Amino acid sequence: MSTASPPEVLEAVDAPGSVADAARAAFERLKAGDVGSLPVIVALFAIVVFFSIKTNIFFTAVNFDNLMPQMAGTAVMAIGVVFVLLLGEIDLSIGSVSGVGGVVVAELQQAGSSHNFGGAAAIILAVVAGAVIGALQGSIVALIGVPSFVVTLAGLLAFQGVILKALGIQGVIGIQSNLVNNVANYNLSKTAGWIVAAVVIGGYLASTVGRALGRRRAGLPIGNPTLILLRLGSLAAVAFGAVAIANHSRGVPFAGLLVVALVVFWTYIARRTTFGRHVYAVGGSAEAARRAGINVARIRIIVFMISGAMAALGGVVFASRLNSVDLTAGQGTILLDAISAAVIGGTSLFGGRGFVRAALLGALVIKTVENGLDLLGQTDAVKDITTGVILLAAVTLDTVSRRRLERSGR
């Protein structure tokens, strides 16, 4: 599933004209092959409707509260994958790095041990460890020129060995820190959930107004007010609707809030900073970016650091959800789920096109399908086949969209 680059999207959003004009412009982009996030949103809606019909347990507050922690670890890891894919690179080590992150946080939070750092410090150091691993791998890719596939495949194997060595004959470490366990298991109170939703809407409104005033001072069009209100209303409906559903059960899961906060933060980095624009430029054409004065090697190293840090944080989420880490940390389908989430959500495998929100959308698709199939009593084989078919469809659509965009000159 392909998406347009941020400048194209911003131009479309800020262009003056009626709602009909905006609709016609969106239709023309679809005809040209710029499908954006529409396919994955339609697919997610269809999946929810299908499983809601198949089982009355699916569309309930209890299942909603269960789904958020289930998809959180994958979504967090997929954020880092999005940045790597934007460069046209790949990181196959994220599964093992997530396991390292889980082991680090488990080792450092143990009460009574000689290295008890407490929950918060343990989480920070786990993320730092992931960033250091990413910097090492990124440096080999950027400075020496070894393909990222080879470097990160070696990392996958090496860090699996690190996990086995660290756990040794102990085999498993229980998470004793309440703070670490709360990352995936804490639910906000009902009042706190409404406050968070109001803050999110207020922050978006303030950002929109500030941006409009800035554009007016610069003599630029501020966009169609009706479209701005429609976006604000849609966001408010989603935010308050999610809180209303969650409050019928245990309340808004902190893990879901963490994912949303990370998506907002990294979206700002990708779309509103010089670094983010450089990432898209390098992914579009590394040689052209180099000639424009962009330090391509530095961009690659930082992106792999982001991937490593998000993988380690995802490992913390997984460890928190299980209340422990063991010799299987970072294994299973964790790697494939994270990469699939980024691609299914709308990030192009060819580099230069995609959005951070792809991580959230793709993770929701994968985990919603898994959740629904579990409720229907289906086997792991059915889940793997279904995920594979969805991934193939996403990559096929991305390839077709890319060719159409090239033919249309976009």
Side-chain angles (χ1 to χ4, degrees):
M1 297 179 184
S2 168
T3 53
S5 61
E8 292 173 306
V9 173
L10 293 178
E11 181 182 350
V13 169
D14 294 325
S18 65
V19 175
D21 292 335
R24 280 192 294 271
F27 180 70
E28 290 300 321
R29 292 196 301 275
L30 286 173
K31 283 175 38 177
D34 182 8
V35 295
S37 299
L38 180 61
V40 71
I41 293 174
V42 172
L44 186 59
F45 177 78
I47 290 167
V48 170
V49 171
F50 174 80
F51 285 119
S52 297
I53 294 173
K54 286 293 184 178
T55 171
N56 56 10
I57 304 174
F58 180 80
F59 199 77
T60 61
V62 173
N63 194 47
F64 180 81
D65 274 359
N66 290 335
L67 180 61
M68 291 301 102
Q70 289 174 10
M71 71 90 189
T74 300
V76 170
M77 292 176 63
I79 291 173
V81 175
V82 168
F83 278 92
V84 173
L85 293 181
L86 285 175
L87 293 184
E89 303 285 358
I90 191 69
D91 189 349
L92 299 177
S93 69
I94 54 173
S96 295
V97 174
S98 74
V100 171
V103 170
V104 169
V105 78
E107 286 278 5
L108 298 183
Q109 58 79 50
Q110 293 184 85
S113 66
S114 59
H115 46 252
N116 178 19
F117 285 82
I123 293 173
I124 293 171
L125 290 174
V127 174
V128 170
V132 170
I133 292 172
L136 173 62
Q137 296 186 142
S139 297
I140 296 174
V141 172
L143 303 179
I144 301 178
V146 181
S148 59
F149 178 90
V150 176
V151 174
T152 58
L153 178 60
L156 180 154
L157 298 172
F159 293 115
Q160 280 183 356
V162 169
I163 294 169
L164 296 176
K165 183 69 175 177
L167 293 180
I169 60 174
Q170 184 178 3
V172 61
I173 301 176
I175 304 295
Q176 302 167 350
S177 168
N178 289 332
L179 190 148
V180 176
N181 282 326
N182 284 341
V183 171
N185 299 300
Y186 180 76
N187 292 76
L188 276 65
S189 67
K190 294 182 179 181
T191 301
W194 292 118
I195 292 174
V196 168
V199 169
V200 169
I201 301 305
Y204 179 80
L205 178 60
S207 173
T208 302
V209 171
R211 185 176 166 211
L213 293 175
R215 293 183 66 84
R216 172 169 288 183
R217 285 194 296 267
L220 298 172
I222 62 173
N224 188 299
T226 303
L227 289 176
I228 294 174
L229 290 176
L230 283 174
R231 288 197 297 273
L232 179 62
S234 299
L235 179 61
V238 171
F240 288 112
V243 172
I245 295 173
N247 280 352
H248 277 82
S249 180
R250 300 185 300 273
V252 176
F254 174 79
L257 183 60
L258 173 65
V259 172
V260 172
L262 289 171
V263 168
V264 171
F265 172 77
W266 288 113
T267 295
Y268 174 82
I269 296 297
R271 295 179 59 180
R272 303 293 183 186
T273 67
T274 301
F275 167 76
R277 290 191 289 271
H278 286 178
V279 170
Y280 281 96
V282 173
S285 174
E287 182 57 31
R290 186 179 292 108
R291 292 180 179 180
I294 297 174
N295 190 329
V296 175
R298 183 176 64 187
I299 295 297
R300 283 200 170 108
I301 293 171
I302 295 175
V303 163
F304 275 95
M305 289 178 67
I306 294 172
S307 179
M310 290 297 98
L313 183 55
V316 172
V317 175
F318 286 125
S320 170
R321 184 162 174 258
L322 298 174
N323 302 128
S324 64
V325 292
D326 57 29
L327 296 173
T328 64
Q331 298 182 27
T333 62
I334 290 176
L335 164 64
L336 297 180
D337 282 351
I339 295 177
S340 298
V343 176
I344 291 171
T347 306
S348 174
L349 286 170
F350 302 100
R353 291 185 293 129
F355 290 102
V356 175
R357 66 170 178 260
L360 176 57
L361 292 173
L364 278 172
V365 168
I366 291 175
K367 294 304 177 181
T368 300
V369 169
E370 289 185 4
N371 178 271
L373 292 175
D374 281 335
L375 292 177
L376 293 178
Q378 297 296 329
T379 64
D380 288 341
V382 175
K383 289 189 287 186
D384 289 344
I385 292 171
T386 304
T387 303
V389 170
I390 294 173
L391 176 60
L392 178 60
V395 176
T396 302
L397 180 58
D398 175 44
T399 303
V400 173
S401 299
R402 179 171 173 266
R403 290 175 179 172
R404 293 180 62 185
L405 286 170
E406 288 175 348
R407 286 197 296 266
S408 65
R410 293 179 68 112

